[in-house]
Structure formats: structure tokens, C-alpha cells
Amino acid sequence: MSVGIASVPQIAPGFRLQWEPMQDAHVLLYPEGMVKLNASAGEILKRCDGAANVAAITADIERQFDTTGLGDDVLAFLDIATRQGWVQIA
Amino acid sequence: MNAVQKTAPAAAIGSPHWLLCELTYRCPLHCAFCYNPVDFARHEAELSTDDWLRVLREARALGAVQCGFSGGEPLQRKDLETLVAEARALGYYTNLITSGIGLNAERAQRLKQAGLDHVQLSFQDSTREVNDFLSSTRTFDLKREAAALIKANGWPMVMNCVIHRLNIDHIERIIELAIELDAQYLELANVQFYSWAQLNREQLLPTREQLQRAERITRQWRERLGSKMKLIFVVPDYYETRPKKCMNGWGNIFLTIAPDGTALPCHTARMLPGLAFPNVREHGVREIWYESEGFNRYRGTGWMKEPCASCPEKENDYGGCRCQAYMLAQDPAAADPVCDKSPKHAVVAAIVDQAQQQRSIVEAKPLLFRDPKNSKALSGLGTSALP
């Protein structure tokens, strides 16, 4: 299933997102493994709460960083994250 | 000898990411390929609950984020729930690595309440007969019950099956069993030859033909399953020409604490001669990780000899496994003989050649099962009918 702006993503069961001060990064934890996220991936995933849709997530990030035009980047990342099984579409 | 001799730290040592707590060497199973030390009977004085709680806190403060509870069988520890709860509260992702024996509905519920994140359940085979034979117990049905409890509690389940000569031809049925039990991940981990598996190597090393068939079947199933279940096939490194990047590098991300508190860069490193490993009863985890000789000796690449020292691939695999170098080349600082650049590679080639013979090896030589009696005999602490 491809991700669209109306999709509502959430972190998949068994995965946990948390901020690690020692690594100065968000990490995604899963059985016996860990992905260290770059800043933009962290900003996207921490908004994947199973309530906000992709349009709202994008708008929120654009507002916080005072920018526009992030829609395609957010969709592209969530497409990868869904394929990796990190994120599910509710 | 003082196990924390101060040594000059290598440049920019990172923090540990993985803390493996081997809570006990006690185990209801007696698997013939167990990686616990063959002399575990010497090291049975277990850490207290308070010791473990301190280790959890100190390693988390250093940056460890994955925490595995293993053994032996970790469910043998009555304080497992207490340790899981503390680990989860500290922010670890908590992994229980278990045979499933000792998991009942009540304990599963307590572990759920403690915040356990994930369970890895081991099977020895897809059939009751072979599972029970290899573990020298009657445990197959108990494991199926444990799998049902794991699913009922909503944990992600990794099923792990150690693969070797005696079960590799059942690989398709093992995959089918994992699907039936609804595992999210299946690790088909070809046996690595350490400890008990090393004693039983002749009986356990598969033939090249067996291995190729198993890899073909695994690939076919991987395509069929897609994202439904992830299949992980760990290759047996004797059939490779480059060594594995053992533990992702010595003292790089893994910290193992043995049941008696010995801190190790990997769970089999205790076999290495001339190297004392520090104990958490006497030293803090920070001092152990950054300053002990045991953790600094094989860090990075500065310790390497030729052919590793000038090898353009040395950062890929850090020279392979120190224990394998010791076992097969009698020198823990040598290149891992799995590497075909190693002057001792012929040792591995000869072992592989021998494995191609088709005779029934188990009938010719019985398996040596991992149990306290055999361990005492191997430690020189008792008598048994060892060959």
C-alpha cells in the first residue's frame, strides 16, 4: 500500500521510538536491533502517533521549522519507513 | 592479577549499545551445540539481584539501549521480572532470550506488566523427535505452549533455530512451523563452532550440498513470504572465504555480563588465554568498558599482525573472531583462519573436506550433551563417562 497525504501512520507494534542523549539522536528500537535516525527522520516519526495524517504531520513540521514544500520529502521517507516495517498505516 | 590494569585507551572508544545479561548457566535443556562455556560448572556463583540492578543502571548511563536477558535459561531466575521492570524503566528495549521452558500464563502476565518488549524463543527442530533428541529433554510441546503465550501477550516473536547437519534437511518444515506459530522473524542460525558445538563439530557441520539446498529453500520462502515474516539466514562461516565481523568489532558495541559477573566483549571470550576479564563485583561498568585490558586488547586494528595489519579489508571484519583464531591457529591475535588470506586457512579447508563424507557420524560418535555432569568432568571437577 502506498502512502498518501490522507494516510495516518503510526509506529509499528514491537517498535519503539525514543530520544537517546548519548547518541544525540532519535533511535528506533525493535527486537535485538536499532536504527539511529537523522534529524528529519526523527521529526517525522515522532509525529506518527496514529492520529495525525501525513498532511497534518507535514504542516506541523513546516510550521516548527518555518519552511514550506516538505510534502514530497515526508511522503518519500514514510514510504521507505512503511516498507521497512517501522511504520504502519492505521 | 588485577583485571583492570590501566591501558592506554584506543582513540575515540564509542559507547556500548548492547548489554547482554547472562543471568544464569542453569538450564533445563542440554543442547549439544550450546555456546555456554564447557566448564560452566566452575562459574556458577551468580550475581545477586542488587548486583544486576546496578549493572543495568551503569550500562544505561554509558548509553546501552538494547538489553538481552539470556543464560542458560533466564526464566530460572526468580527475580527476572524485577530486572525486566528496572531495565524497561531505565529506557532499554528489553529482550528475553529463552527456551520457553518455565514460561506459564502467570509469569507471562508478570513480565508483560514489567514492560518486557520482545521474546526470542528457541526451537531445536520442527519435529518433536529431533527437538527432544538434540536438547536431550522432552520439551517440544512446552515450546509450542510458550509460543502461544508470547502471541497471546502481544509480544513480537523471534523464533530462533540453530541449524546444523542433523536438522538442516528439515529447513522447510522449520519455516512452516514458524509460520504456523505466527513468528515475525525466523533466525535460521547455522551453528558456530564454540564451546559445546566445538566438541561436537564432526557431528554438526553440514555438507556443502546440504547447505546449498537450505539456502535455496530459504530464498524461495523469503520471496513467498515478503514482509509477512522476516527470514534471517546466518551462514556457517567455515564455508566462507572472509571471516565474520565478530561482535561487530571487539569492545565496539557489545557488553556481555556472565552469570558470575565477569564482563566480556563476547560470550565466549573467556576461553582466550593470557587475558583477564574484569568482574562487576569489583569494578564499575564505565571503568570496565573504557579502561580494562580485557576490553582494550583487541579493539580497533592496532593489535593486528600480518596478513591483517596491511590488509585493505581490515576495517570490514576486524580480522574476524579472536576465539576462532585461538582455537584453529593457537594464537588469539592471528587472522581468523576462515579467511583465505590466513596462513592457517588449510585447517578450515580440511575440516570442511572431512564434513563432505556421507557416513552416519552420530552413530560413529555419540553427541556430548551440555549438562552439569559433563561440564564438571570437562572442568576436572568430577567424573563421568566422557570419551
Side-chain angles (χ1 to χ4, degrees), chain B residues 80-127:
Chain B
L80 177 63
E81 290 87 335
T82 305
L83 302 179
V84 168
E86 178 70 7
R88 182 66 186 79
L90 287 165
Y92 286 103
Y93 192 92
T94 50
N95 305 274
L96 176 62
I97 299 157
T98 179
S99 67
I101 310 308
L103 189 67
N104 54 35
E106 194 190 350
R107 279 206 97 178
Q109 193 188 10
R110 289 206 302 267
L111 287 164
K112 188 74 186 176
Q113 283 163 359
L116 181 66
D117 289 296
H118 149 245
V119 184
Q120 183 195 111
L121 179 66
S122 67
F123 272 79
Q124 280 65 46
D125 191 52
S126 56
T127 66

mmCIF file of all heavy atoms in Angstrom, chain B residues 80-127:
data_model
loop_
_atom_site.group_PDB
_atom_site.id
_atom_site.type_symbol
_atom_site.label_atom_id
_atom_site.label_comp_id
_atom_site.label_asym_id
_atom_site.label_seq_id
_atom_site.Cartn_x
_atom_site.Cartn_y
_atom_site.Cartn_z
ATOM 1 N N LEU B 80 13.652 -12.389 37.605
ATOM 2 C CA LEU B 80 13.650 -11.910 36.218
ATOM 3 C C LEU B 80 12.697 -10.722 36.029
ATOM 4 O O LEU B 80 13.048 -9.729 35.380
ATOM 5 C CB LEU B 80 13.273 -13.061 35.267
ATOM 6 C CG LEU B 80 13.166 -12.684 33.785
ATOM 7 C CD1 LEU B 80 14.504 -12.198 33.232
ATOM 8 C CD2 LEU B 80 12.664 -13.870 32.959
ATOM 9 N N GLU B 81 11.502 -10.815 36.606
ATOM 10 C CA GLU B 81 10.511 -9.740 36.432
ATOM 11 C C GLU B 81 11.024 -8.418 37.015
ATOM 12 O O GLU B 81 10.817 -7.352 36.437
ATOM 13 C CB GLU B 81 9.189 -10.123 37.106
ATOM 14 C CG GLU B 81 8.440 -11.258 36.404
ATOM 15 C CD GLU B 81 8.861 -12.654 36.858
ATOM 16 O OE1 GLU B 81 10.013 -12.820 37.347
ATOM 17 O OE2 GLU B 81 8.053 -13.588 36.724
ATOM 18 N N THR B 82 11.700 -8.505 38.170
ATOM 19 C CA THR B 82 12.262 -7.310 38.801
ATOM 20 C C THR B 82 13.299 -6.656 37.889
ATOM 21 O O THR B 82 13.336 -5.433 37.730
ATOM 22 C CB THR B 82 12.952 -7.695 40.133
ATOM 23 O OG1 THR B 82 12.000 -8.395 40.931
ATOM 24 C CG2 THR B 82 13.472 -6.482 40.881
ATOM 25 N N LEU B 83 14.139 -7.484 37.282
ATOM 26 C CA LEU B 83 15.203 -6.955 36.422
ATOM 27 C C LEU B 83 14.623 -6.368 35.136
ATOM 28 O O LEU B 83 15.052 -5.310 34.672
ATOM 29 C CB LEU B 83 16.217 -8.063 36.102
ATOM 30 C CG LEU B 83 16.880 -8.711 37.320
ATOM 31 C CD1 LEU B 83 17.843 -9.814 36.888
ATOM 32 C CD2 LEU B 83 17.615 -7.678 38.171
ATOM 33 N N VAL B 84 13.632 -7.044 34.566
ATOM 34 C CA VAL B 84 12.993 -6.526 33.350
ATOM 35 C C VAL B 84 12.334 -5.174 33.646
ATOM 36 O O VAL B 84 12.463 -4.226 32.866
ATOM 37 C CB VAL B 84 11.948 -7.527 32.803
ATOM 38 C CG1 VAL B 84 11.082 -6.882 31.715
ATOM 39 C CG2 VAL B 84 12.639 -8.769 32.237
ATOM 40 N N ALA B 85 11.644 -5.089 34.780
ATOM 41 C CA ALA B 85 10.945 -3.842 35.118
ATOM 42 C C ALA B 85 11.931 -2.683 35.252
ATOM 43 O O ALA B 85 11.688 -1.578 34.755
ATOM 44 C CB ALA B 85 10.147 -4.015 36.405
ATOM 45 N N GLU B 86 13.063 -2.944 35.916
ATOM 46 C CA GLU B 86 14.063 -1.886 36.075
ATOM 47 C C GLU B 86 14.658 -1.501 34.716
ATOM 48 O O GLU B 86 14.828 -0.310 34.413
ATOM 49 C CB GLU B 86 15.174 -2.349 37.027
ATOM 50 C CG GLU B 86 16.306 -1.351 37.232
ATOM 51 C CD GLU B 86 15.898 -0.107 38.025
ATOM 52 O OE1 GLU B 86 14.759 -0.074 38.538
ATOM 53 O OE2 GLU B 86 16.710 0.831 38.122
ATOM 54 N N ALA B 87 14.955 -2.503 33.899
ATOM 55 C CA ALA B 87 15.551 -2.236 32.580
ATOM 56 C C ALA B 87 14.601 -1.393 31.733
ATOM 57 O O ALA B 87 15.010 -0.411 31.104
ATOM 58 C CB ALA B 87 15.879 -3.543 31.870
ATOM 59 N N ARG B 88 13.333 -1.762 31.763
ATOM 60 C CA ARG B 88 12.342 -1.034 30.958
ATOM 61 C C ARG B 88 12.187 0.400 31.473
ATOM 62 O O ARG B 88 12.134 1.347 30.679
ATOM 63 C CB ARG B 88 11.009 -1.783 30.998
ATOM 64 C CG ARG B 88 9.911 -1.160 30.178
ATOM 65 C CD ARG B 88 10.252 -1.229 28.693
ATOM 66 N NE ARG B 88 9.247 -0.499 27.910
ATOM 67 C CZ ARG B 88 9.224 0.836 27.784
ATOM 68 N NH1 ARG B 88 10.158 1.574 28.374
ATOM 69 N NH2 ARG B 88 8.296 1.420 27.066
ATOM 70 N N ALA B 89 12.179 0.547 32.794
ATOM 71 C CA ALA B 89 12.037 1.891 33.369
ATOM 72 C C ALA B 89 13.247 2.771 33.022
ATOM 73 O O ALA B 89 13.125 3.982 32.875
ATOM 74 C CB ALA B 89 11.864 1.794 34.884
ATOM 75 N N LEU B 90 14.401 2.149 32.882
ATOM 76 C CA LEU B 90 15.614 2.902 32.538
ATOM 77 C C LEU B 90 15.640 3.306 31.062
ATOM 78 O O LEU B 90 16.472 4.123 30.663
ATOM 79 C CB LEU B 90 16.859 2.060 32.842
ATOM 80 C CG LEU B 90 17.207 1.881 34.325
ATOM 81 C CD1 LEU B 90 18.226 0.744 34.500
ATOM 82 C CD2 LEU B 90 17.763 3.169 34.913
ATOM 83 N N GLY B 91 14.755 2.705 30.255
ATOM 84 C CA GLY B 91 14.692 3.072 28.841
ATOM 85 C C GLY B 91 15.309 2.064 27.890
ATOM 86 O O GLY B 91 15.433 2.320 26.700
ATOM 87 N N TYR B 92 15.696 0.904 28.387
ATOM 88 C CA TYR B 92 16.179 -0.146 27.490
ATOM 89 C C TYR B 92 15.019 -0.739 26.694
ATOM 90 O O TYR B 92 13.879 -0.792 27.183
ATOM 91 C CB TYR B 92 16.758 -1.321 28.280
ATOM 92 C CG TYR B 92 18.092 -1.137 28.933
ATOM 93 C CD1 TYR B 92 18.179 -0.910 30.297
ATOM 94 C CD2 TYR B 92 19.277 -1.261 28.209
ATOM 95 C CE1 TYR B 92 19.405 -0.799 30.933
ATOM 96 C CE2 TYR B 92 20.503 -1.154 28.839
ATOM 97 C CZ TYR B 92 20.570 -0.926 30.193
ATOM 98 O OH TYR B 92 21.777 -0.821 30.824
ATOM 99 N N TYR B 93 15.332 -1.236 25.504
ATOM 100 C CA TYR B 93 14.434 -2.157 24.805
ATOM 101 C C TYR B 93 14.788 -3.543 25.346
ATOM 102 O O TYR B 93 15.939 -3.970 25.272
ATOM 103 C CB TYR B 93 14.668 -2.093 23.297
ATOM 104 C CG TYR B 93 13.596 -2.792 22.488
ATOM 105 C CD1 TYR B 93 12.490 -2.088 22.010
ATOM 106 C CD2 TYR B 93 13.687 -4.149 22.195
ATOM 107 C CE1 TYR B 93 11.507 -2.722 21.267
ATOM 108 C CE2 TYR B 93 12.705 -4.785 21.454
ATOM 109 C CZ TYR B 93 11.615 -4.063 20.985
ATOM 110 O OH TYR B 93 10.647 -4.696 20.248
ATOM 111 N N THR B 94 13.807 -4.213 25.938
ATOM 112 C CA THR B 94 14.115 -5.425 26.702
ATOM 113 C C THR B 94 13.777 -6.687 25.905
ATOM 114 O O THR B 94 12.661 -6.848 25.416
ATOM 115 C CB THR B 94 13.340 -5.433 28.027
ATOM 116 O OG1 THR B 94 11.965 -5.167 27.770
ATOM 117 C CG2 THR B 94 13.880 -4.372 28.975
ATOM 118 N N ASN B 95 14.762 -7.556 25.770
ATOM 119 C CA ASN B 95 14.645 -8.797 25.001
ATOM 120 C C ASN B 95 14.836 -9.994 25.929
ATOM 121 O O ASN B 95 15.846 -10.060 26.634
ATOM 122 C CB ASN B 95 15.738 -8.865 23.933
ATOM 123 C CG ASN B 95 15.758 -7.658 23.006
ATOM 124 O OD1 ASN B 95 15.052 -7.625 22.012
ATOM 125 N ND2 ASN B 95 16.567 -6.646 23.353
ATOM 126 N N LEU B 96 13.882 -10.894 25.930
ATOM 127 C CA LEU B 96 14.042 -12.145 26.675
ATOM 128 C C LEU B 96 14.415 -13.241 25.683
ATOM 129 O O LEU B 96 13.690 -13.484 24.719
ATOM 130 C CB LEU B 96 12.732 -12.511 27.394
ATOM 131 C CG LEU B 96 12.721 -13.850 28.130
ATOM 132 C CD1 LEU B 96 13.751 -13.877 29.253
ATOM 133 C CD2 LEU B 96 11.328 -14.160 28.680
ATOM 134 N N ILE B 97 15.563 -13.871 25.925
ATOM 135 C CA ILE B 97 16.077 -14.892 25.010
ATOM 136 C C ILE B 97 15.961 -16.222 25.734
ATOM 137 O O ILE B 97 16.717 -16.505 26.663
ATOM 138 C CB ILE B 97 17.529 -14.553 24.611
ATOM 139 C CG1 ILE B 97 17.530 -13.192 23.891
ATOM 140 C CG2 ILE B 97 18.130 -15.640 23.724
ATOM 141 C CD1 ILE B 97 18.847 -12.460 23.926
ATOM 142 N N THR B 98 14.971 -17.023 25.334
ATOM 143 C CA THR B 98 14.548 -18.135 26.180
ATOM 144 C C THR B 98 14.276 -19.408 25.394
ATOM 145 O O THR B 98 13.965 -19.359 24.195
ATOM 146 C CB THR B 98 13.263 -17.726 26.963
ATOM 147 O OG1 THR B 98 12.833 -18.819 27.769
ATOM 148 C CG2 THR B 98 12.127 -17.337 26.024
ATOM 149 N N SER B 99 14.359 -20.524 26.094
ATOM 150 C CA SER B 99 13.899 -21.799 25.536
ATOM 151 C C SER B 99 12.392 -21.926 25.695
ATOM 152 O O SER B 99 11.792 -22.856 25.161
ATOM 153 C CB SER B 99 14.578 -22.951 26.278
ATOM 154 O OG SER B 99 14.110 -22.990 27.635
ATOM 155 N N GLY B 100 11.791 -21.030 26.467
ATOM 156 C CA GLY B 100 10.349 -21.097 26.739
ATOM 157 C C GLY B 100 10.005 -21.973 27.926
ATOM 158 O O GLY B 100 8.875 -21.928 28.427
ATOM 159 N N ILE B 101 10.973 -22.751 28.397
ATOM 160 C CA ILE B 101 10.692 -23.667 29.500
ATOM 161 C C ILE B 101 10.640 -22.854 30.804
ATOM 162 O O ILE B 101 11.599 -22.165 31.143
ATOM 163 C CB ILE B 101 11.760 -24.774 29.611
ATOM 164 C CG1 ILE B 101 11.991 -25.429 28.256
ATOM 165 C CG2 ILE B 101 11.369 -25.797 30.679
ATOM 166 C CD1 ILE B 101 10.746 -25.917 27.547
ATOM 167 N N GLY B 102 9.491 -22.934 31.478
ATOM 168 C CA GLY B 102 9.297 -22.130 32.686
ATOM 169 C C GLY B 102 8.365 -20.954 32.454
ATOM 170 O O GLY B 102 8.010 -20.242 33.392
ATOM 171 N N LEU B 103 7.954 -20.745 31.205
ATOM 172 C CA LEU B 103 7.015 -19.658 30.919
ATOM 173 C C LEU B 103 5.593 -20.214 31.042
ATOM 174 O O LEU B 103 5.203 -21.082 30.275
ATOM 175 C CB LEU B 103 7.236 -19.098 29.510
ATOM 176 C CG LEU B 103 6.461 -17.826 29.187
ATOM 177 C CD1 LEU B 103 6.953 -16.651 30.025
ATOM 178 C CD2 LEU B 103 6.588 -17.460 27.696
ATOM 179 N N ASN B 104 4.861 -19.738 32.044
ATOM 180 C CA ASN B 104 3.443 -20.101 32.151
ATOM 181 C C ASN B 104 2.622 -18.814 32.101
ATOM 182 O O ASN B 104 3.183 -17.720 32.015
ATOM 183 C CB ASN B 104 3.176 -20.889 33.438
ATOM 184 C CG ASN B 104 3.685 -20.138 34.667
ATOM 185 O OD1 ASN B 104 3.621 -18.901 34.716
ATOM 186 N ND2 ASN B 104 4.205 -20.858 35.647
ATOM 187 N N ALA B 105 1.301 -18.945 32.137
ATOM 188 C CA ALA B 105 0.436 -17.779 31.943
ATOM 189 C C ALA B 105 0.707 -16.707 32.999
ATOM 190 O O ALA B 105 0.737 -15.515 32.703
ATOM 191 C CB ALA B 105 -1.029 -18.208 31.974
ATOM 192 N N GLU B 106 0.952 -17.154 34.226
ATOM 193 C CA GLU B 106 1.155 -16.205 35.315
ATOM 194 C C GLU B 106 2.464 -15.408 35.140
ATOM 195 O O GLU B 106 2.498 -14.190 35.291
ATOM 196 C CB GLU B 106 1.180 -16.997 36.626
ATOM 197 C CG GLU B 106 1.048 -16.141 37.855
ATOM 198 C CD GLU B 106 1.334 -16.948 39.120
ATOM 199 O OE1 GLU B 106 1.444 -18.187 39.055
ATOM 200 O OE2 GLU B 106 1.466 -16.308 40.171
ATOM 201 N N ARG B 107 3.525 -16.125 34.816
ATOM 202 C CA ARG B 107 4.812 -15.423 34.624
ATOM 203 C C ARG B 107 4.763 -14.520 33.405
ATOM 204 O O ARG B 107 5.326 -13.427 33.399
ATOM 205 C CB ARG B 107 5.964 -16.425 34.475
ATOM 206 C CG ARG B 107 6.433 -16.945 35.805
ATOM 207 C CD ARG B 107 7.879 -17.395 35.763
ATOM 208 N NE ARG B 107 8.808 -16.377 36.242
ATOM 209 C CZ ARG B 107 10.115 -16.571 36.335
ATOM 210 N NH1 ARG B 107 10.640 -17.717 35.985
ATOM 211 N NH2 ARG B 107 10.907 -15.608 36.773
ATOM 212 N N ALA B 108 4.096 -14.987 32.363
ATOM 213 C CA ALA B 108 3.983 -14.158 31.161
ATOM 214 C C ALA B 108 3.275 -12.852 31.500
ATOM 215 O O ALA B 108 3.698 -11.777 31.071
ATOM 216 C CB ALA B 108 3.232 -14.916 30.068
ATOM 217 N N GLN B 109 2.232 -12.943 32.312
ATOM 218 C CA GLN B 109 1.492 -11.744 32.691
ATOM 219 C C GLN B 109 2.368 -10.793 33.518
ATOM 220 O O GLN B 109 2.358 -9.584 33.323
ATOM 221 C CB GLN B 109 0.246 -12.148 33.475
ATOM 222 C CG GLN B 109 -0.731 -11.007 33.647
ATOM 223 C CD GLN B 109 -1.869 -11.360 34.585
ATOM 224 O OE1 GLN B 109 -1.860 -12.390 35.269
ATOM 225 N NE2 GLN B 109 -2.873 -10.492 34.624
ATOM 226 N N ARG B 110 3.155 -11.367 34.432
ATOM 227 C CA ARG B 110 4.041 -10.520 35.246
ATOM 228 C C ARG B 110 5.115 -9.842 34.385
ATOM 229 O O ARG B 110 5.458 -8.684 34.592
ATOM 230 C CB ARG B 110 4.698 -11.341 36.354
ATOM 231 C CG ARG B 110 3.740 -11.768 37.469
ATOM 232 C CD ARG B 110 4.472 -12.007 38.790
ATOM 233 N NE ARG B 110 5.512 -13.007 38.699
ATOM 234 C CZ ARG B 110 5.344 -14.304 38.964
ATOM 235 N NH1 ARG B 110 4.163 -14.761 39.348
ATOM 236 N NH2 ARG B 110 6.342 -15.144 38.865
ATOM 237 N N LEU B 111 5.631 -10.590 33.408
ATOM 238 C CA LEU B 111 6.637 -9.997 32.515
ATOM 239 C C LEU B 111 6.025 -8.907 31.649
ATOM 240 O O LEU B 111 6.667 -7.896 31.346
ATOM 241 C CB LEU B 111 7.272 -11.086 31.644
ATOM 242 C CG LEU B 111 8.231 -12.013 32.396
ATOM 243 C CD1 LEU B 111 8.507 -13.279 31.594
ATOM 244 C CD2 LEU B 111 9.553 -11.290 32.705
ATOM 245 N N LYS B 112 4.777 -9.110 31.253
ATOM 246 C CA LYS B 112 4.079 -8.082 30.477
ATOM 247 C C LYS B 112 3.937 -6.805 31.316
ATOM 248 O O LYS B 112 4.203 -5.703 30.837
ATOM 249 C CB LYS B 112 2.711 -8.613 30.054
ATOM 250 C CG LYS B 112 1.973 -7.721 29.092
ATOM 251 C CD LYS B 112 2.597 -7.805 27.696
ATOM 252 C CE LYS B 112 1.955 -6.812 26.739
ATOM 253 N NZ LYS B 112 2.629 -6.835 25.427
ATOM 254 N N GLN B 113 3.528 -7.002 32.572
ATOM 255 C CA GLN B 113 3.378 -5.849 33.466
ATOM 256 C C GLN B 113 4.715 -5.151 33.698
ATOM 257 O O GLN B 113 4.777 -3.938 33.867
ATOM 258 C CB GLN B 113 2.772 -6.273 34.809
ATOM 259 C CG GLN B 113 1.269 -6.504 34.731
ATOM 260 C CD GLN B 113 0.725 -7.304 35.918
ATOM 261 O OE1 GLN B 113 1.491 -7.712 36.798
ATOM 262 N NE2 GLN B 113 -0.575 -7.529 35.920
ATOM 263 N N ALA B 114 5.792 -5.941 33.709
ATOM 264 C CA ALA B 114 7.128 -5.359 33.918
ATOM 265 C C ALA B 114 7.578 -4.550 32.707
ATOM 266 O O ALA B 114 8.535 -3.782 32.792
ATOM 267 C CB ALA B 114 8.130 -6.470 34.220
ATOM 268 N N GLY B 115 6.905 -4.748 31.567
ATOM 269 C CA GLY B 115 7.218 -3.953 30.381
ATOM 270 C C GLY B 115 8.107 -4.655 29.366
ATOM 271 O O GLY B 115 8.696 -4.000 28.504
ATOM 272 N N LEU B 116 8.216 -5.973 29.467
ATOM 273 C CA LEU B 116 9.053 -6.711 28.502
ATOM 274 C C LEU B 116 8.621 -6.389 27.076
ATOM 275 O O LEU B 116 7.435 -6.416 26.751
ATOM 276 C CB LEU B 116 8.931 -8.224 28.764
ATOM 277 C CG LEU B 116 9.763 -9.120 27.841
ATOM 278 C CD1 LEU B 116 11.252 -8.910 28.078
ATOM 279 C CD2 LEU B 116 9.402 -10.591 28.053
ATOM 280 N N ASP B 117 9.615 -6.080 26.207
ATOM 281 C CA ASP B 117 9.316 -5.648 24.844
ATOM 282 C C ASP B 117 9.229 -6.791 23.845
ATOM 283 O O ASP B 117 8.501 -6.713 22.875
ATOM 284 C CB ASP B 117 10.398 -4.665 24.361
ATOM 285 C CG ASP B 117 10.311 -3.322 25.066
ATOM 286 O OD1 ASP B 117 9.289 -2.645 24.882
ATOM 287 O OD2 ASP B 117 11.251 -2.959 25.791
ATOM 288 N N HIS B 118 10.013 -7.840 24.040
ATOM 289 C CA HIS B 118 10.139 -8.842 22.964
ATOM 290 C C HIS B 118 10.652 -10.171 23.522
ATOM 291 O O HIS B 118 11.395 -10.192 24.496
ATOM 292 C CB HIS B 118 11.093 -8.288 21.898
ATOM 293 C CG HIS B 118 11.887 -9.326 21.183
ATOM 294 N ND1 HIS B 118 13.250 -9.416 21.278
ATOM 295 C CD2 HIS B 118 11.505 -10.349 20.372
ATOM 296 C CE1 HIS B 118 13.671 -10.430 20.549
ATOM 297 N NE2 HIS B 118 12.649 -11.013 19.988
ATOM 298 N N VAL B 119 10.244 -11.245 22.877
ATOM 299 C CA VAL B 119 10.709 -12.570 23.275
ATOM 300 C C VAL B 119 11.308 -13.292 22.073
ATOM 301 O O VAL B 119 10.706 -13.350 21.002
ATOM 302 C CB VAL B 119 9.558 -13.434 23.841
ATOM 303 C CG1 VAL B 119 10.104 -14.769 24.349
ATOM 304 C CG2 VAL B 119 8.833 -12.703 24.967
ATOM 305 N N GLN B 120 12.513 -13.803 22.259
ATOM 306 C CA GLN B 120 13.107 -14.708 21.277
ATOM 307 C C GLN B 120 12.996 -16.121 21.828
ATOM 308 O O GLN B 120 13.511 -16.419 22.905
ATOM 309 C CB GLN B 120 14.583 -14.388 21.018
ATOM 310 C CG GLN B 120 15.163 -15.291 19.941
ATOM 311 C CD GLN B 120 16.679 -15.300 19.879
ATOM 312 O OE1 GLN B 120 17.333 -16.289 20.194
ATOM 313 N NE2 GLN B 120 17.247 -14.186 19.458
ATOM 314 N N LEU B 121 12.312 -16.967 21.074
ATOM 315 C CA LEU B 121 12.054 -18.340 21.515
ATOM 316 C C LEU B 121 12.869 -19.303 20.661
ATOM 317 O O LEU B 121 12.798 -19.262 19.438
ATOM 318 C CB LEU B 121 10.550 -18.633 21.362
ATOM 319 C CG LEU B 121 10.081 -20.031 21.747
ATOM 320 C CD1 LEU B 121 10.252 -20.285 23.237
ATOM 321 C CD2 LEU B 121 8.619 -20.226 21.349
ATOM 322 N N SER B 122 13.620 -20.174 21.319
ATOM 323 C CA SER B 122 14.431 -21.137 20.567
ATOM 324 C C SER B 122 13.674 -22.438 20.358
ATOM 325 O O SER B 122 12.915 -22.881 21.221
ATOM 326 C CB SER B 122 15.727 -21.432 21.320
ATOM 327 O OG SER B 122 15.447 -22.116 22.531
ATOM 328 N N PHE B 123 13.848 -22.985 19.184
ATOM 329 C CA PHE B 123 13.437 -24.363 18.898
ATOM 330 C C PHE B 123 14.677 -25.098 18.438
ATOM 331 O O PHE B 123 15.603 -24.488 17.901
ATOM 332 C CB PHE B 123 12.387 -24.399 17.777
ATOM 333 C CG PHE B 123 10.978 -24.261 18.267
ATOM 334 C CD1 PHE B 123 10.473 -23.022 18.606
ATOM 335 C CD2 PHE B 123 10.163 -25.366 18.387
ATOM 336 C CE1 PHE B 123 9.177 -22.885 19.056
ATOM 337 C CE2 PHE B 123 8.856 -25.239 18.836
ATOM 338 C CZ PHE B 123 8.355 -23.996 19.168
ATOM 339 N N GLN B 124 14.704 -26.379 18.600
ATOM 340 C CA GLN B 124 15.846 -27.148 18.122
ATOM 341 C C GLN B 124 15.545 -27.847 16.800
ATOM 342 O O GLN B 124 16.434 -28.240 16.083
ATOM 343 C CB GLN B 124 16.287 -28.166 19.181
ATOM 344 C CG GLN B 124 17.136 -27.552 20.271
ATOM 345 C CD GLN B 124 16.396 -26.535 21.127
ATOM 346 O OE1 GLN B 124 15.279 -26.752 21.564
ATOM 347 N NE2 GLN B 124 17.004 -25.375 21.344
ATOM 348 N N ASP B 125 14.262 -27.994 16.503
ATOM 349 C CA ASP B 125 13.873 -28.621 15.233
ATOM 350 C C ASP B 125 12.371 -28.479 15.057
ATOM 351 O O ASP B 125 11.660 -28.066 15.982
ATOM 352 C CB ASP B 125 14.260 -30.126 15.226
ATOM 353 C CG ASP B 125 14.123 -30.732 13.837
ATOM 354 O OD1 ASP B 125 14.679 -30.161 12.886
ATOM 355 O OD2 ASP B 125 13.440 -31.769 13.704
ATOM 356 N N SER B 126 11.899 -28.851 13.868
ATOM 357 C CA SER B 126 10.469 -28.791 13.572
ATOM 358 C C SER B 126 9.732 -30.025 14.086
ATOM 359 O O SER B 126 8.515 -30.065 14.085
ATOM 360 C CB SER B 126 10.272 -28.686 12.064
ATOM 361 O OG SER B 126 10.928 -29.768 11.427
ATOM 362 N N THR B 127 10.465 -31.032 14.466
ATOM 363 C CA THR B 127 9.805 -32.262 14.916
ATOM 364 C C THR B 127 10.087 -32.502 16.396
ATOM 365 O O THR B 127 11.143 -32.128 16.915
ATOM 366 C CB THR B 127 10.323 -33.500 14.142
ATOM 367 O OG1 THR B 127 11.694 -33.702 14.487
ATOM 368 C CG2 THR B 127 10.189 -33.300 12.648
#
